[in-house]
Amino acid sequence: MDRITLSGVTAVGHHGVFDFERREGQPFVVDAVLYLDFAKAAESDDVRDTAHYGEVAQRITEWISGEPLNLIEALAVRIADGLLDEFRLQAVEITVHKPQAPIEVPFGDVAVSVHRGRNNGERQAQGEGP
């Protein structure tokens, strides 16, 4: 399967379990790997026949800065499911980084990843189904 990789899509969101996280906000960084077949786009050389990565990046920033969630796991699933709904993708892998997470010890990053795909046109979480 062909893929497009977007790394480091960043926006301020208000996600977290603590009141100050929801009030003050913080940066979230998303990496997205979009899986699709490039055959039609390669033949037509037309952006309408692929996943327009500029539009994908814009939608990701809207989900980051949108309705607050407690968990970055929920944000990752929201983004993955939304991209599958809005773009012609066969699968997507989303990693959400929370580099300023309120952790009491020195750390470099905290991130969660989800993989979602289609099975006969329907969405499928990794590990589901036959």
Side-chain angles (χ1 to χ4, degrees), residues 101-119:
I103 297 174
E104 302 265 334
V105 299
F107 75 101
D109 188 22
V110 62
V112 300
S113 296
V114 298
H115 184 275
R116 294 289 184 272
R118 296 186 191 284
N119 184 18

Side-chain angles (χ1 to χ4, degrees), residues 77-110:
V77 169
R78 176 186 284 172
I79 294 168
D81 288 348
L83 290 175
L84 283 174
D85 286 344
E86 294 183 22
F87 296 91
R88 285 190 257 179
L89 305 174
Q90 291 303 308
V92 63
E93 183 172 327
I94 299 296
T95 301
V96 175
H97 303 265
K98 189 174 180 180
Q100 295 179 9
I103 297 174
E104 302 265 334
V105 299
F107 75 101
D109 188 22
V110 62

Side-chain angles (χ1 to χ4, degrees), residues 31 60 102 104:
D31 301 325
I60 291 170
E104 302 265 334

Side-chain angles (χ1 to χ4, degrees), residues 1 3 6 9 13 19-20 24 30 44 49 58-59 68 73-74 80 82 87 99 107 112 119 122:
M1 185 62 52
R3 67 179 183 239
L6 285 168
V9 178
D19 289 340
F20 70 88
E24 298 169 19
V30 172
S44 70
D49 291 329
Q58 180 62 42
R59 289 299 287 135
E73 292 87 342
F87 296 91
F107 75 101
V112 300
N119 184 18
E122 298 295 321

Side-chain angles (χ1 to χ4, degrees), residues 14-19 21-22 26 28 68-71 98:
H14 292 83
H15 312 287
V17 296
F18 298 113
D19 289 340
E21 292 180 287
R22 290 190 170 239
Q26 61 188 294
F28 292 84
L69 296 164
N70 288 331
L71 302 177
K98 189 174 180 180

